[in-house]
Amino acid sequence: MLYAPDDRIGAGTHRGIGDRFGGVSLVAAAVCPHPPLIVPELAGAAAPELDDLRAAADAAIARLLAAAPEAILLVGGGPETVRFNAADHGSLRPYGLDRHVRLWKVNCAGGDRLPLSLTIGAWLLNRSGTELPRLARSVAHDATPAECAAFGASLILDDDPRVALLVLGDGSACRGVKAPGYDDPRAEAYDEGVAAALAGADADALLGLDPELSAELRVAGRAPWQVLAGAVGAAGGDWRGELSHHRAPYGVAYFVANWERS
């Protein structure tokens, strides 16, 4: 049995998933963005504008599941670093849709606690139809690269079960005058660097992303990507990456990628 009866734990913990599993073996990872508009009911008439992003995310998750994990661990940014209950859920109500999004199993132990990143991640997984066990962790937006790497490493132990990471994060939000953060000439080069790192499974390049610049460019994925880098480093071995989507609609950079063992 993979899950203990009680998965409740308070905010701010860095205990690893291995505390309950008795160890974790990282078999694959996928990176997806988390814009609310990826949910067609929220996008309304504009939904077709993100059809290619939805298709890329669906394909990335299908590829993640093809690695035959025994469980999925979602990692996304949030106000603080939190370990969530498998019964917790998120809500799309703040974005105009009165809908709860379950993480895995809904019961009285859960609550409406997931931040946007993990809510969209759960929505993507639910869309895939998988019923694999899943857990979720948020990492504080302002966590240092060293803290992110240590957090990622704490999630990984060289033992069963086979776990896949779904990492949620957006790139810069400063790509043009209509972008949420307006136009910043540094944004394109920043996003190109992230795209190259994701395509090349370059954990060192992700760990080198500057927190201050990332914040100025309103990047939501910096900390989660650095958690991924820490997890891969702790898992060891050689990894290969593939970037399947890199565009900036609405002035925000979105990336979809898969990392697999070589």
Side-chain angles (χ1 to χ4, degrees):
M1 177 177 173
L2 289 178
Y3 283 84
D6 188 358
D7 185 42
R8 287 169 292 180
I9 193 164
T13 181
H14 285 227
R15 288 173 56 195
I17 187 173
D19 293 337
R20 293 189 309 94
F21 282 134
V24 167
S25 175
L26 181 62
V27 297
V31 173
C32 291
H34 53 74
L37 291 181
I38 200 171
V39 179
E41 294 91 333
L42 278 174
E49 296 176 10
L50 292 184
D51 280 348
D52 57 342
L53 176 59
R54 291 184 198 95
D58 288 344
I61 289 175
R63 186 165 169 177
L64 191 71
L65 297 173
E70 296 175 83
I72 306 292
L73 174 59
L74 292 79
V75 176
E80 56 187 345
T81 301
V82 179
R83 170 178 175 159
F84 294 96
N85 186 341
D88 285 334
H89 52 267
S91 175
L92 296 174
R93 183 177 297 171
Y95 308 97
L97 183 64
D98 189 9
R99 178 183 299 176
H100 289 297
V101 179
R102 67 182 176 89
L103 175 58
W104 184 38
K105 303 289 187 179
V106 176
N107 60 42
C108 60
D112 187 357
R113 302 176 60 214
L114 300 182
L116 172 64
S117 61
L118 298 176
T119 298
I120 296 300
W123 180 84
L124 288 170
L125 275 179
N126 294 339
R127 179 178 167 92
S128 76
T130 182
E131 285 297 329
L132 281 176
R134 63 199 70 160
L135 293 175
R137 308 286 185 267
S138 65
V139 57
H141 293 303
D142 59 356
T144 68
E147 289 169 339
C148 293
F151 182 36
S154 77
L155 302 175
I156 304 303
L157 298 173
D158 188 17
D159 198 354
D160 285 332
R162 295 165 55 85
V163 170
L165 289 183
L166 175 57
V167 181
L168 290 309
D170 298 348
S172 74
C174 299
R175 298 286 295 272
V177 296
K178 294 184 178 180
Y182 198 64
D183 185 55
D184 191 312
R186 302 170 296 176
E188 184 172 358
Y190 180 101
D191 291 330
E192 289 298 331
V194 172
L198 293 176
D202 190 340
D204 289 339
L206 292 180
L207 289 174
L209 295 173
D210 178 63
E212 183 175 346
L213 175 60
S214 301
E216 291 172 358
L217 296 177
R218 299 182 63 171
V219 176
R222 190 272 305 172
W225 300 329
Q226 291 179 333
V227 171
L228 167 63
V232 166
D238 295 325
W239 292 77
R240 64 179 182 272
E242 182 175 330
L243 182 71
S244 57
H245 187 91
H246 173 204
R247 297 184 185 175
Y250 317 128
V252 182
Y254 300 141
F255 308 96
V256 178
N258 286 88
W259 285 19
E260 298 166 340
R261 289 187 178 274
S262 298

